[in-house]
Amino acid sequence: MRPLEGVKVLDFSQYMAGPSATLRLADLGARTVKVERPGKGDGCRDLRVPDCEIEGESPLFCAVNRNKDSIALDLKDEKNKGTLRSLLKEADVAVFSFRPGTAERLGLSYEQIKEINPRIIYGEVSGYGSAGPWSSKPGQDLLAQCISGLPYLNGNEGDAPTPLGLSLADMFAGQHLVQGILSALIRRERSGQGAYIQVNLLESILDIQFEVFTTFLNDGHEPPVRSKVNNANAYISAPYGIYETKDGYLALAMCSIVVLGELLGCKELLKYTDESEWSTKRDEIKRILKEHLKKETADYWLSVLETADVWCAKALNWEELFEMEGFKKLGMVQGIYRDGKKVFETTSCPIKFDQERYYSEKPAPFIGQDNKNI
């Protein structure tokens, strides 16, 4: 039995943040029903990837909405109010990502739904919160990344701000929403009390910068200085970064520069015996390493460094990753099936419960496919 079996979730959200939260709840056993617009459905269905469709849908939609049901309801149609009321009365959790004011106009604010179901766990994800001058801004991942300052941590000094190539704000907001919902479910078991959980993209992406923000806030507001050479973290000294080798790339984490010089046979590094110089002369040290590591292959350097317990890794592309035995042993890839036929492959839930990894073969739903059953 999965831990959330018996929990009923209504997912009114779209795109990535809210649906990523309800996907995790579904993987942990909750019955999750998407409530979509008739005909059009979740806007993520139309976020096409060139040359890749799954059952006529966006692979992004299929990945984040697997393991769910779907009902199509026009939320503005008075004829559907009775059905909607019945669904909300039976639900444990409802998740929304409406723009400010929309929920109230539809009769779906927390205060309005609480009148129907006082025990409801109401989860809301927005771009920048429900109040303040930014509340009406579009809640989009790239925009949230840029407002948060995160792109100025990536790339080398002097480079243009560089965003991470993932929907990072969306995904972290989704996971923060899951944490809030699960906490509220635990409290409700003790008190019978429902809850109103709010997260937003900006606060979530600010939260994941807590380490560097703390340095900034307590260091006279000195801005981070990215390394000019192979930057990987503006606040970490040499050799931290990714380096080109004869046939690929090698990542080096924190380690003694002197020990590294001895292991690599790089005499130029042996003079940096003062640890403070690993920070103050970071770029100088990295330039030496950059040229030296090109002399041998990544696998050769790995054989030298891993034997000495130096923290390092080969920078793998996805094709290389998927062929590695260590990756295969994880069991992170699962097949998704419809009517006994494999539709696509995707990742599985990363949480193990009692040493068991949860898989689900259930594909993303067609719009309104479960109207008759719900």
Side-chain angles (χ1 to χ4, degrees):
M1 180 177 177
R2 299 192 182 191
L4 295 184
E5 284 186 22
V7 173
K8 298 177 182 178
V9 178
L10 293 177
D11 183 4
F12 293 83
S13 65
Q14 296 191 75
Y15 295 105
M16 293 294 284
S20 70
T22 56
L23 170 64
R24 189 61 64 235
L25 298 174
D27 280 341
L28 293 173
R31 187 187 184 185
T32 302
V33 180
K34 289 186 68 66
V35 183
E36 302 189 78
R37 293 169 291 176
K40 186 172 178 61
D42 184 338
C44 189
R45 291 180 183 270
D46 294 326
L47 291 180
R48 304 295 177 185
V49 174
D51 303 320
C52 185
E53 277 191 359
I54 298 171
E55 297 188 312
E57 303 280 13
S58 157
L60 306 177
F61 173 84
C62 293
V64 79
N65 288 291
R66 61 175 178 77
N67 205 14
K68 301 176 186 178
D69 298 329
S70 169
I71 58 172
L73 279 181
D74 183 350
L75 301 179
K76 298 177 182 178
D77 191 335
E78 288 296 325
K79 293 186 296 185
N80 293 323
K81 296 298 183 183
T83 300
L84 194 55
R85 186 180 181 88
S86 296
L87 289 169
L88 290 167
K89 197 168 185 176
E90 295 176 1
D92 295 290
V93 177
V95 173
F96 298 85
S97 60
F98 295 146
R99 286 200 173 195
T102 302
E104 287 78 7
R105 289 194 298 271
L106 294 172
L108 293 173
S109 70
Y110 174 59
E111 293 301 325
Q112 290 163 321
I113 291 179
K114 188 169 70 168
E115 292 297 316
I116 300 169
N117 181 355
R119 289 170 52 84
I120 196 81
I121 309 299
Y122 187 106
E124 178 183 272
V125 58
S126 64
Y128 307 92
S130 58
W134 290 352
S135 62
S136 60
K137 282 180 174 289
Q140 198 278 331
D141 191 275
L142 176 62
L143 308 185
Q145 282 199 41
C146 287
I147 290 173
S148 78
L150 180 66
Y152 280 98
L153 295 175
N154 305 319
N156 294 331
E157 184 184 348
D159 287 351
T162 306
L164 289 172
L166 291 169
S167 299
L168 201 70
D170 281 325
M171 302 308 288
F172 272 98
Q175 298 316 301
H176 291 155
L177 184 56
V178 170
Q179 293 170 23
I181 289 170
L182 294 178
S183 299
L185 286 169
I186 292 171
R187 186 182 73 171
R188 194 181 69 180
E189 284 300 303
R190 295 198 301 262
S191 68
Q193 181 182 352
Y196 182 16
I197 309 299
Q198 294 174 287
V199 302
N200 65 69
L201 271 60
L202 181 59
E203 288 185 6
S204 287
I205 206 164
L206 293 176
D207 178 72
I208 66 170
Q209 298 179 78
F210 72 90
E211 177 188 6
V212 292
F213 276 169
T214 302
T215 302
F216 173 75
L217 291 169
N218 293 278
D219 190 29
H221 286 198
E222 289 292 327
V225 178
R226 294 175 288 180
S227 174
K228 292 184 175 70
V229 184
N230 296 10
N231 176 68
N233 187 303
Y235 288 103
I236 298 182
S237 60
Y240 205 79
I242 300 174
Y243 296 84
E244 185 179 2
T245 68
K246 188 181 285 188
D247 69 343
Y249 292 86
L250 181 73
L252 296 175
M254 295 80 73
C255 66
S256 163
I257 296 300
V258 176
V259 170
L260 193 60
E262 292 171 347
L263 291 169
L264 298 177
C266 183
K267 293 181 180 179
E268 290 179 86
L269 294 180
L270 301 181
K271 64 183 179 182
Y272 296 101
T273 55
D274 182 350
E275 289 189 23
S276 67
E277 291 184 333
W278 304 351
S279 178
T280 60
K281 297 182 178 180
R282 177 177 62 181
D283 291 345
E284 180 180 311
I285 293 168
K286 284 188 166 187
R287 285 193 182 94
I288 295 169
L289 271 171
K290 182 179 179 181
E291 294 307 313
H292 187 80
L293 289 170
K294 292 178 183 177
K295 296 177 181 179
E296 294 289 351
T297 66
D299 285 332
Y300 173 80
W301 293 126
L302 277 176
S303 69
V304 172
L305 298 175
E306 286 188 329
T307 303
D309 200 27
V310 171
W311 293 356
C312 59
K314 189 174 180 180
L316 303 176
N317 61 38
W318 289 342
E319 187 174 355
E320 292 169 328
L321 169 67
F322 278 50
E323 290 301 315
M324 299 293 285
E325 187 59 34
F327 174 79
K328 294 176 182 178
K329 189 70 174 177
L330 293 175
M332 272 294 292
V333 174
Q334 64 176 350
I336 305 298
Y337 295 80
R338 193 185 301 277
D339 300 326
K341 295 181 181 179
K342 184 185 285 188
V343 179
F344 68 100
E345 291 184 316
T346 187
T347 54
S348 62
C349 179
I351 302 167
K352 284 188 176 179
F353 212 94
D354 294 333
Q355 302 185 46
E356 178 186 357
R357 181 181 295 282
Y358 291 147
Y359 296 102
S360 174
E361 298 181 351
K362 186 175 179 178
F366 299 125
I367 300 172
Q369 71 174 29
D370 302 289
N371 273 46
K372 292 182 180 179
N373 300 324
I374 297 177

